[in-house]
Amino acid sequence: MRSSRVLGLGAAVLAAAALTNHALARRAERRNPPEGKFITVDRVRLHYIERGTGPVIVLLHGNGTMAGDFALSGVLDLLAKDHWVIAFDRLGFGFSERPRGRIWTAAAQAALLHEALLGLDVRQPVVVGHSWGTLVALALALRDAADVAGLVVLSGYYFPTVRADAALQSWPAVPVLGDILRYTISPLLARLMAPVVYRKMFAPSPVAPRFGGEFPLELAVRPSQIRASAAESALMIPGAADLAEHYSELSIPIAIVAGIGDRIVDCESQAGRLRAELPQSKLRKISDAGHMIHHIVPEEVAAVILDVARMAFAGRPPQSSG
């Protein structure tokens, strides 16, 4: 009898936590409404932010963030002065859907984004990826090199390594148990750990004031986005392994940017090795900078992207938005 009461109390607590987190997620969406537009591809609704006119640059954010991260850093507006810039919420992040029943590998995301770009009448953009987004950017370029004019990868993870953090962060993506975690305990833990995570993401640099003050944490800790983040943690190592053997097939203009002090991804074993695999690429190492280099040195990152764009779009007529 006593054990049944304990179990009943535990179930009631979990149910109350789930209802609370659901309500907080809906409140976060009301307080941070979508800034951009939506496009539906293969029955999947994707959200994107677009600004500017001219040759197209596509921005793909990393794990745990969303398209607005590029706006917060200032990179989006720097590029939009002379280009049509499209920043996507990748699947499950921000306001984009991530349907269950399918494993959203980098290649699967690239295929869907390719169709989305065709739906927006975008041809041969320069594609920029940050962190996990670099895997999608590379997959998009490898999918059909003729469809991507140039590539810029920021703080990326390109080659498989042993990473305990990937396994630990994957639990909320596990069916049933993961569902319980992400609707009950995971949002609370994410809120509590956010300051520590931010410091590690930016270290050795301080957290950028605008990111620290304006990043919509409550959107990031919604159960749906926690599931997407956990799934991508699980897919990171196999994703890099699947792509690594094909990097030498790329022949488009490519720039690699990495922070020498990055504590999320090792600069030399990842960016340095990718540069060796791609003789035509250029590697820019940022001293005293961590993983969030687009926030730490936005002007320098934008300048690298614009250099690739100039090479990629040389002699081509510009596209216009809308």
Side-chain angles (χ1 to χ4, degrees):
M1 182 68 71
R2 184 177 179 181
S3 61
S4 62
R5 287 178 181 175
V6 171
L7 289 173
L9 178 60
V13 170
L14 291 176
L19 289 172
T20 300
N21 284 316
H22 177 78
L24 289 173
R26 301 291 81 78
R27 186 179 72 175
E29 291 168 353
R30 291 192 300 271
R31 291 182 173 181
N32 302 275
E35 302 175 45
K37 301 177 181 178
F38 291 89
I39 183 170
T40 299
V41 183
D42 194 20
R43 299 188 299 278
V44 180
R45 194 170 186 240
L46 297 175
H47 174 251
Y48 64 96
I49 301 168
E50 64 172 351
R51 293 181 192 167
T53 59
V56 186
I57 298 174
V58 174
L59 305 177
L60 304 175
H61 63 83
N63 191 2
T65 63
M66 53 204 78
D69 182 52
F70 284 107
L72 276 181
S73 72
V75 169
L76 194 154
D77 286 330
L78 288 169
L79 299 175
K81 293 177 181 178
D82 300 298
H83 293 80
W84 176 13
V85 184
I86 303 172
F88 281 97
D89 278 337
R90 292 193 299 102
L91 286 93
F93 299 96
F95 290 92
S96 287
E97 297 175 339
R98 191 184 183 103
R100 302 186 73 147
R102 182 173 180 184
I103 300 175
W104 289 104
T105 62
Q109 293 188 42
L112 196 74
L113 287 170
H114 172 74
E115 294 303 316
L117 290 171
L118 292 179
L120 295 173
D121 197 28
V122 170
R123 303 292 189 277
Q124 293 187 302
V126 164
V127 180
V128 180
H130 172 251
S131 193
W132 214 99
T134 61
L135 295 176
V136 183
L138 286 159
L140 194 58
L142 286 166
R143 185 181 183 279
D144 189 345
D147 285 340
V148 175
L151 195 60
V152 181
V153 287
L154 313 170
S155 304
Y157 178 80
Y158 314 110
F159 301 95
T161 58
V162 176
R163 292 188 62 125
D165 59 337
L168 290 172
Q169 293 166 8
S170 302
W171 280 103
V174 176
V176 184
L177 174 60
D179 293 329
I180 294 171
L181 287 173
R182 65 190 179 86
Y183 272 100
T184 56
I185 301 170
S186 295
L188 174 60
L189 291 177
R191 290 185 186 94
L192 292 174
M193 291 298 296
V196 176
V197 173
Y198 291 175
R199 287 196 294 270
K200 184 176 181 180
M201 288 163 58
F202 279 85
S205 305
V207 176
R210 192 174 179 192
F211 182 93
E214 299 182 36
F215 180 75
L217 175 62
E218 287 301 315
L219 285 181
V221 301
R222 290 171 299 167
S224 60
Q225 184 151 327
I226 288 175
R227 179 170 70 89
S229 294
E232 298 212 333
S233 294
L235 290 168
M236 183 175 69
I237 297 172
D242 287 343
L243 292 172
E245 60 187 76
H246 300 290
Y247 293 150
S248 61
E249 300 169 16
L250 295 168
S251 59
I252 56 177
I254 299 173
I256 306 160
V257 187
I260 293 175
D262 193 333
R263 297 181 186 175
I264 306 295
V265 177
D266 180 70
C267 175
E268 290 303 323
S269 65
Q270 295 295 329
R273 185 178 170 187
L274 184 63
R275 169 65 182 85
E277 292 267 341
L278 298 169
Q280 84 281 14
S281 67
K282 294 183 179 180
L283 172 59
R284 178 75 62 88
K285 297 180 183 179
I286 310 296
S287 61
D288 300 320
H291 196 65
M292 301 295 278
I293 48 176
H294 55 306
H295 285 273
I296 298 164
V297 286
E299 292 85 2
E300 191 166 347
V301 167
V304 171
I305 296 170
L306 292 173
D307 282 343
V308 170
R310 277 190 285 272
M311 289 186 286
F313 298 134
R316 282 178 48 191
Q319 286 187 272
S320 298
S321 61

